[in-house]
Amino acid sequence: MRSSRWPVVVLAVVTLFALVPFVVMVLVALSPPGAPTLPHALPGSLTLRNFAAVLAAEDFARWTLNTLVYAVVSVAAVLLSASMAAYVFARKRFRGRDLLLWSIVSTLMVPFHAVVVPLLLLVAALGWVDTYWGLVVPTLANAQAVLLLRQFILALPGEVFDAVRVDGAGDWRTYWHVVLPLCRPVLATLGVFVFLWHWNDFLWPLVVTNSTTTRTLTLGLSTMDSGKLGIAELMSAATVTALPCLLVFWLLQRHLAGVISGRGR
Amino acid sequence: MRGKLTTLLFLLPVLVLFGLFRVVPVAGAVGMSLTEHDLGGGWTFTGVANYRDLAGSGTFLTSLRTTLVYVAICVPLTVLVALGTALLLRRVTWARSWFRTALLTPYVTSLVLAGVVWRWLFEPLGVLDHPSLVLPALAVVSVWKGFGYSMLVLFAGLQDVPPDCVDAAKVDGASAWQRLRHVLLPFLRPALFFVVVVETIGAFQVFDTIYVMTGGGPMRASYTLAYAVYDHAFRMFDLGHAAAAGIVLWAVVLLVALTQRRVFERGS
């Protein structure tokens, strides 16, 4: 077979376009503070001092903790609530089921910008502005999660459900001992995505938090930018912000690609 | 009866979450867009006055046009790069999964991060200070961040093309371009439609990079619709106009999605 080499070359060039910003980010982060660096010049020497400075800054540690809480709590809550609803939507018949599901899915068509002001007023009325509650709870209504889990449960063989019903299991036991274990692969993948969405979220944390104690990393990154920090420290902060996402993705990318492309598994 | 109660209990968390944090805000947004809010906290019903104000506001119309220009640059660029890389990926077996991972890496990072890093990269070029270059520059960031996702969807679509069809076309002497035009693209139509819709809807809502990189400037050259909503609500505290602008954004997104469906359906 005559294999040509130019597709590899072109792909390599596009890969460069995709990866160079990360390389620049890390190189600048490793440059001595104040020294000339990319994109103007290559750094003369490399140092970890900027990372140490950024990690030692009290605010930064707090933002990291907040982001972790925001992401991890959301993953647990979204997976639990969405899988419960998805089980019922996939396996139960009741009046108004399709209308209800359709209503939930149709919220996907509403840009978040269109509802952000009333949502904030609602959160204010609940007394949740600048709290973890306000940050986390309004983001838990995740229509993609309900839809994806429902499709997955629909595709499970019906015999499994018949068998457990014959054994006299009720809905709770079926959900806990059958649905959740069978959904483990899709729950894991979905969990990674919910984690990434929340870790990278910006507009909602921007409007609902206003003090250092509740701010998240992306928000901190955007405010640091205008501040008095040097570019090397800023890029260190950016690197630390990106690292969890990159690690999660590089470790799990085999399992994630299928879901991103919409083919399930 | 117990069964019904259990069903309700299973649905309860999702019902409460969606009811409270999606349905109520949508109703609130429509209501707010029809009222005027004063700083004392009172609301006065003003009908469509907010919309009429927006229609007569040069800033708002500019933001609408800016958004359209941004979408017109961003979407074709993203889809072309995604389609190109997907087609290349299909022809490459060497290090294919490595390429796929590398090309998808920007997708998993945040737009804020993209904004911070690209602002630094653009600095020596000065493109962000130039009113006519700022939108293309922002589009580059968006393509960088987003093309991997579309590439993956299109690549998955290409996997569904039966190899026999491609081989048959090859035997018949079809050129690479003819094979793409008459064999691959027809099979790719659903995937392409999906990608175009998703990228368009995303591009209409561009906000994070604008917030970080330009703040709507220079001279409002990157003052997009989503940024206008934010600006009205959280800088000018003009909630009625912000809500109306948000509804306009929603309407535009819906209209575009429906139009694209029509176009694709007629084409098939």
Side-chain angles (χ1 to χ4, degrees):
Chain A
M1 185 183 139
R2 193 185 66 93
S3 82
S4 55
R5 217 165 279 156
W6 68 267
V8 176
V9 175
V10 179
L11 270 184
V13 172
V14 185
T15 305
L16 219 58
F17 167 66
L19 292 186
V20 155
F22 291 111
V23 176
V24 172
M25 174 180 81
V26 174
L27 274 180
V28 174
L30 290 171
S31 303
T37 183
L38 295 167
H40 308 279
L42 273 173
S45 62
L46 300 178
T47 169
L48 282 170
R49 238 187 313 164
N50 307 306
F51 283 99
V54 162
L55 291 173
E58 204 181 323
D59 287 354
F60 198 82
R62 182 74 206 197
W63 297 337
T64 311
L65 176 74
N66 293 342
T67 313
L68 211 58
V69 169
Y70 183 37
V72 171
V73 172
S74 300
V75 169
V78 166
L79 292 188
L80 191 69
S81 63
S83 62
M84 283 169 66
Y87 164 59
V88 165
F89 278 128
R91 290 287 155 188
K92 293 269 156 191
R93 284 164 193 277
F94 54 92
R95 197 138 43 92
R97 181 187 66 178
D98 295 341
L99 181 69
L100 205 56
L101 182 67
W102 181 86
S103 311
I104 287 173
V105 172
S106 68
T107 62
L108 284 172
M109 288 304 292
V110 185
F112 188 67
H113 282 86
V115 293
V116 65
V117 176
L119 192 60
L120 185 65
L121 292 182
L122 182 74
V123 166
L126 293 167
W128 283 356
V129 169
D130 208 25
T131 66
Y132 278 163
W133 291 104
L135 183 63
V136 177
V137 179
T139 63
L140 300 178
N142 190 319
Q144 284 110 316
V146 176
L147 193 63
L148 185 69
L149 283 165
R150 174 186 173 265
Q151 298 307 106
F152 190 86
I153 297 170
L154 267 184
L156 293 174
E159 296 87 42
V160 183
F161 291 93
D162 297 339
V164 286
R165 191 171 308 136
V166 170
D167 287 348
D171 283 328
W172 294 104
R173 274 181 55 195
T174 311
Y175 167 73
W176 196 255
H177 293 290
V178 178
V179 173
L180 280 189
L182 285 176
C183 282
R184 202 178 293 155
V186 69
L187 285 171
T189 325
L190 188 62
V192 173
F193 279 105
V194 176
F195 180 87
L196 291 177
W197 289 331
H198 281 83
W199 190 277
N200 293 329
D201 195 11
F202 182 64
L203 179 58
W204 183 242
L206 173 69
V207 300
V208 83
T209 68
N210 49 40
S211 66
T212 295
T213 46
T214 44
R215 282 207 162 152
T216 58
L217 273 174
T218 46
L219 203 51
L221 202 58
S222 77
T223 52
M224 280 167 101
D225 202 17
S226 54
K228 53 274 162 199
L229 279 173
I231 187 71
E233 280 179 324
L234 178 66
M235 289 298 162
S236 307
T239 309
V240 176
T241 306
L243 216 53
C245 300
L246 296 180
L247 283 181
V248 162
F249 172 65
W250 284 333
L251 289 175
L252 301 174
Q253 51 91 12
R254 259 167 218 294
H255 309 282
L256 303 182
V259 172
I260 298 178
S261 62
R263 328 189 95 202
R265 336 195 12 94
Chain B
M1 193 57 229
R2 249 194 88 219
K4 282 215 174 110
L5 190 66
T6 317
T7 301
L8 186 66
L9 284 176
F10 267 89
L11 282 174
L12 202 59
V14 156
L15 287 185
V16 171
L17 286 171
F18 277 87
L20 201 54
F21 299 116
R22 289 290 178 270
V23 177
V24 169
V26 166
V30 176
M32 279 171 66
S33 73
L34 302 172
T35 54
E36 196 178 327
H37 181 249
D38 57 67
L39 288 174
W43 299 89
T44 326
F45 182 80
T46 53
V48 293
N50 287 324
Y51 294 95
R52 208 181 299 134
D53 291 349
L54 289 181
S57 147
T59 317
F60 181 77
L61 295 180
T62 309
S63 82
L64 206 58
R65 209 184 54 216
T66 304
T67 311
L68 288 172
V69 172
Y70 177 82
V71 170
I73 301 172
C74 207
V75 176
L77 213 57
T78 308
V79 173
L80 275 180
V81 174
L83 182 63
T85 46
L87 288 168
L88 289 174
L89 209 57
R90 198 180 69 98
R91 299 189 49 171
V92 164
T93 43
W94 181 78
R96 179 192 273 180
S97 70
W98 194 88
F99 275 127
R100 200 184 60 182
T101 308
L103 294 173
L104 202 58
T105 298
Y107 174 69
V108 300
T109 61
S110 72
L111 276 167
V112 170
L113 182 93
V116 168
V117 176
W118 276 96
R119 209 173 83 158
W120 177 243
L121 291 171
F122 281 145
E123 204 201 29
L125 304 172
V127 285
L128 296 178
D129 306 320
H130 206 293
S132 60
L133 294 179
V134 64
L135 285 183
L138 285 164
V140 167
V141 182
S142 160
V143 172
W144 175 79
K145 169 85 167 69
F147 84 92
Y149 170 81
S150 292
M151 172 199 75
L152 215 57
V153 175
L154 293 172
F155 183 68
L158 284 172
Q159 307 287 84
D160 293 338
V161 179
D164 299 357
C165 291
V166 184
D167 292 341
K170 229 184 246 180
V171 171
D172 290 346
S175 68
W177 167 250
Q178 286 169 327
R179 291 201 300 270
L180 174 67
R181 175 78 188 73
H182 299 290
V183 182
L184 295 180
L185 283 187
F187 275 105
L188 268 188
R189 187 182 291 277
L192 264 176
F193 169 66
F194 178 79
V195 160
V196 170
V197 170
V198 167
E199 295 294 347
T200 309
I201 290 177
F204 265 108
Q205 298 176 54
V206 58
F207 175 76
D208 300 10
T209 46
I210 292 183
Y211 182 92
V212 174
M213 295 176 76
T214 68
M219 301 193 308
R220 291 193 192 268
S222 62
Y223 193 84
T224 60
L225 211 43
Y227 196 81
V229 174
Y230 173 82
D231 206 33
H232 276 101
F234 301 107
R235 294 252 178 82
M236 306 184 222
F237 301 106
D238 187 352
L239 301 186
H241 284 115
I247 302 281
V248 172
L249 176 66
W250 184 12
V252 171
V253 165
L254 270 182
L255 195 71
V256 169
L258 290 175
T259 313
Q260 283 172 335
R261 205 172 98 172
R262 276 241 144 134
V263 169
F264 267 79
E265 267 171 3
R266 192 177 311 143
S268 59

